[in-house]
Amino acid sequence: MSQEEQHPIFTRDPAELMKYVYKCVTIECAEKNTFSGWVYTIDPVTENMVLINFDDGESEPKLTVVTGHSIISREIINSNTDTYKVQLDSLFEDKDDQVKYTDEELKIRRTKCKNWLEQNRLPVVEDSDGTLSISDALQIVAPYGPENCHSMNEIILGRIQGLLKNMPNDM
């Protein structure tokens, strides 16, 4: 198979695309369309680019997906990655993860979680940093919900997450 017959994914360098992430760019596309905005991500296979525009007058930023096959040229117009990096990353975070708990609330949630697991006859150990461990196979970190479970064993992970989802509120 010659170089000309290979799919472009095998000849393009993804690191070359990474130089655009978190930077403000202007993209010229087919049919004389131009788009500009802050690059959140680029798909290395299709080269589709996700652009975000933060308009001061609007409460919500505007998202634009530019398809890779239509892109003729890309130009960086602002390379200060710190300008909107935090805002870009926060756009796609789960809003529940942004809830802040006091130390007292975390202690109550940890105790409730530990008691529920012990009630279901699981060997729970509380580490010095507050992490709950089950037989070194699974760890539960603050704020101790099903989405805070970490394990390399998918079966154990699924079962414990299911158990935590079914935990009664009055524990």
Side-chain angles (χ1 to χ4, degrees):
M1 191 172 195
S2 72
Q3 183 77 4
E4 298 162 25
E5 296 174 11
Q6 281 188 333
H7 190 277
I9 188 65
F10 298 112
T11 58
R12 293 186 188 133
D13 184 13
E16 177 70 20
L17 297 174
M18 284 299 294
K19 76 178 187 180
Y20 296 103
V21 177
Y22 297 123
K23 296 181 180 154
C24 190
V25 299
T26 296
I27 301 172
E28 183 183 341
C29 296
E31 300 178 15
K32 305 292 182 210
N33 292 327
T34 59
F35 299 94
S36 62
W38 292 89
V39 178
Y40 177 68
T41 190
I42 304 172
D43 177 25
V45 176
T46 62
E47 293 191 18
N48 293 346
M49 299 179 79
V50 177
L51 302 179
I52 308 290
N53 284 301
F54 296 95
D55 292 330
D56 293 331
E58 296 181 28
S59 61
E60 291 293 319
K62 181 182 172 195
L63 182 135
T64 306
V65 178
V66 181
T67 55
H69 72 276
S70 68
I71 297 174
I72 295 171
S73 68
R74 304 174 189 104
E75 180 185 353
I76 297 173
I77 55 177
N78 185 341
S79 61
N80 185 356
T81 57
D82 297 330
T83 306
Y84 285 109
K85 184 179 186 321
V86 173
Q87 287 105 319
L88 287 168
D89 287 338
S90 69
L91 287 174
F92 300 97
E93 288 178 351
D94 188 7
K95 299 298 181 203
D96 291 337
D97 289 347
Q98 295 177 359
V99 174
K100 303 294 183 211
Y101 295 99
T102 65
D103 290 340
E104 187 62 31
E105 289 171 325
L106 285 175
K107 184 177 178 183
I108 292 168
R109 289 177 64 89
R110 180 176 53 241
T111 303
K112 180 179 171 183
C113 181
K114 183 177 179 185
N115 290 343
W116 175 245
L117 294 170
E118 287 174 341
Q119 195 173 31
N120 283 277
R121 302 185 188 275
L122 292 166
V124 183
V125 175
E126 187 174 336
D127 297 338
S128 60
D129 63 352
T131 301
L132 299 178
S133 297
I134 300 175
S135 300
D136 292 329
L138 179 130
Q139 289 76 39
I140 307 170
V141 296
Y144 308 101
E147 64 282 350
N148 306 113
C149 298
H150 304 284
S151 177
M152 296 299 287
N153 186 322
E154 290 184 37
I155 295 170
I156 292 173
L157 179 63
R159 297 238 171 116
I160 300 300
Q161 285 177 324
L163 191 60
L164 291 176
K165 287 176 185 173
N166 292 320
M167 181 170 50
N169 291 328
D170 61 349
M171 269 300 297

